[in-house]
């Protein structure tokens, strides 16, 4: 494979069982054998930048994607993951990352930059995973982030619960090499307008994928689309619940301990 262009990032590594074992022990899942479950690639093929490259918030100040300007705060908004095949243990895989689109808008809080980043993961010369990540950059507004309105968590047969505490958030940050301080530094979270630590968006998406998987629905051969609709703030019990129409028709949603929806996701089979 030829070297990546200046606006691309290329990472190759051996897919070993150890990160998967760590993730399984973190989220209370069975340890996988032979291959990775869908979405578990998020603890592999990471961009491990030098510490000197990080800004005050813990995010890199350059790379793919590069912040659109100094002082811009990054928020993960959602994405789409198409899994053509699972990654196999004991074999190398390669991730190629590039920016698909960049759009500037003006919102209530000021200028916003929307960036969609594509990751294409190959193994043995075959494309196994293609994922698009939607990222929003905003200015240094000090306005407080509000929690979603309280409500009753729907009673559904398909449900997954997991307690979010400081240790779990810190360990997930370490597993994904995510140094964004809103997930483990109370003072920095308050500086960015959050009244507590913020539960990672990718963690919520991963747990939605786990509800599908543990309910007998594989994400392989499908596109999983997810959206973060409100921040999940503070130590609490997270609940992932199937939609009223069921997982296959309606998808799943993530709720905080007060019953507020913070994320949702759905599956779409690949065209044959």
């Amino acid at each position: 494979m030829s070297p990546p262009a200046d606006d691309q990032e290329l990472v190759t590594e051996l897919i070993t069982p150890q990160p998967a074992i760590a993730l399984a022990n973190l989220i209370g899942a069975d340890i996988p054998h032979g291959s990775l479950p869908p979405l578990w690639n998020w603890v592999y093929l990471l961009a491990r930048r030098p510490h000197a490259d990080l800004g005050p918030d813990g995010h890199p100040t350059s790379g793919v994607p590069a912040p659109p300007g100094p002082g811009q705060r990054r928020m993960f908004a959602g994405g789409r993951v198409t899994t053509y095949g699972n990654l196999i243990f004991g074999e190398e895989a390669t991730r190629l990352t590039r920016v698909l689109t960049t759009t500037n808008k003006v919102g209530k809080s000021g200028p916003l930059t929307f960036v969609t980043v594509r990751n294409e993961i190959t193994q043995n010369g075959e494309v196994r995973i293609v994922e698009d990540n939607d990222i929003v950059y905003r200015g240094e507004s000090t306005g407080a982030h509000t929690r979603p309105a309280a409500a009753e968590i729907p009673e559904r047969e398909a449900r997954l619960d997991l307690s979010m505490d400081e240790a779990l958030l810190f360990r997930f940050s370490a597993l994904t090499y995510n140094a964004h301080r809103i997930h483990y530094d109370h003072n920095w979270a308050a500086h960015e307008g959050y009244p507590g630590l913020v539960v990672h968006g990718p963690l919520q998406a991963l747990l939605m994928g786990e509800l599908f998987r543990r309910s007998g629905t594989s994400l392989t051969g499908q596109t999983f689309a997810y959206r973060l609709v409100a921040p999940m703030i503070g130590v609490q019990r997270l609940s992932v619940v199937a939609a009223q129409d069921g997982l296959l028709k309606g998808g799943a949603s993530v709720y905080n301990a007060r019953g507020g929806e913070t994320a949702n996701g759905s599956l779409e089979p690949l065209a044959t």
Side-chain angles (χ1 to χ4, degrees):
M1 182 178 290
S2 59
D6 292 340
D7 58 350
Q8 297 179 344
E9 182 177 77
L10 191 68
V11 177
T12 297
E13 72 176 45
L14 184 68
I15 303 301
T16 63
Q18 284 73 25
I21 293 171
L23 180 59
N25 288 335
L26 184 68
I27 63 175
D30 293 335
I31 294 173
H33 299 280
S35 65
L36 279 180
L39 306 185
W40 287 40
N41 59 283
W42 288 345
V43 299
Y44 291 83
L45 299 162
L46 305 173
R48 298 177 175 88
R49 303 293 298 278
H51 192 73
D53 290 352
L54 303 186
D57 62 355
H59 274 306
T61 57
S62 61
V64 182
Q72 295 286 299
R73 291 178 177 168
R74 171 174 166 155
M75 298 182 295
F76 197 72
R80 295 148 301 283
V81 184
T82 301
T83 305
Y84 297 96
N86 297 344
L87 296 179
I88 307 301
F89 289 134
E91 300 179 6
E92 281 193 342
T94 297
R95 172 181 60 82
L96 177 64
T97 299
R98 60 188 175 92
V99 174
L100 278 187
T101 61
T102 300
T103 305
N104 295 310
K105 296 183 179 181
V106 177
K108 293 181 180 180
S109 61
L112 300 170
T113 299
F114 296 83
V115 180
T116 297
V117 177
R118 170 159 292 180
N119 295 304
E120 184 176 280
I121 299 175
T122 58
Q123 192 176 53
N124 288 327
E126 298 178 354
V127 175
R128 300 290 175 90
I129 301 164
V130 175
E131 62 173 298
D132 294 342
N133 298 326
D134 299 325
I135 300 166
V136 181
Y137 292 92
R138 61 183 177 87
E140 291 193 64
S141 169
T142 56
H145 296 270
T146 58
R147 294 181 171 94
E152 291 291 330
I153 299 176
E155 292 293 336
R156 303 280 190 266
E157 183 176 352
R159 176 169 173 160
L160 185 157
D161 297 285
L162 188 65
S163 294
M164 302 287 109
D165 58 28
E166 289 92 344
L168 187 144
L169 297 180
F170 178 83
R171 294 177 75 192
F172 189 76
S173 288
L175 268 177
T176 55
Y177 221 73
N178 178 359
H180 195 182
R181 291 168 61 183
I182 62 172
H183 303 303
Y184 59 87
D185 184 334
H186 283 275
N187 290 333
W188 188 267
H191 174 71
E192 290 204 15
Y194 298 103
L197 298 182
V198 180
V199 177
H200 310 70
L203 176 57
Q204 297 180 58
L206 176 68
L207 292 174
M208 283 190 282
E210 282 297 287
L211 181 62
F212 283 104
R213 188 172 73 91
R214 298 181 195 186
S215 299
T217 299
S218 175
L219 274 63
T220 304
Q222 308 208 59
T223 296
F224 172 58
Y226 61 95
R227 186 168 62 99
L228 304 172
V229 297
M232 180 176 287
I233 302 171
V235 171
Q236 59 190 289
R237 192 168 182 80
L238 170 157
S239 298
V240 187
V241 181
Q244 184 173 2
D245 293 338
L247 285 172
L248 292 180
K249 289 185 177 181
S253 290
V254 180
Y255 296 92
N256 63 22
R258 301 171 65 246
E261 185 186 31
T262 59
N264 54 60
S266 61
L267 288 181
E268 182 177 342
L270 297 179
T272 58

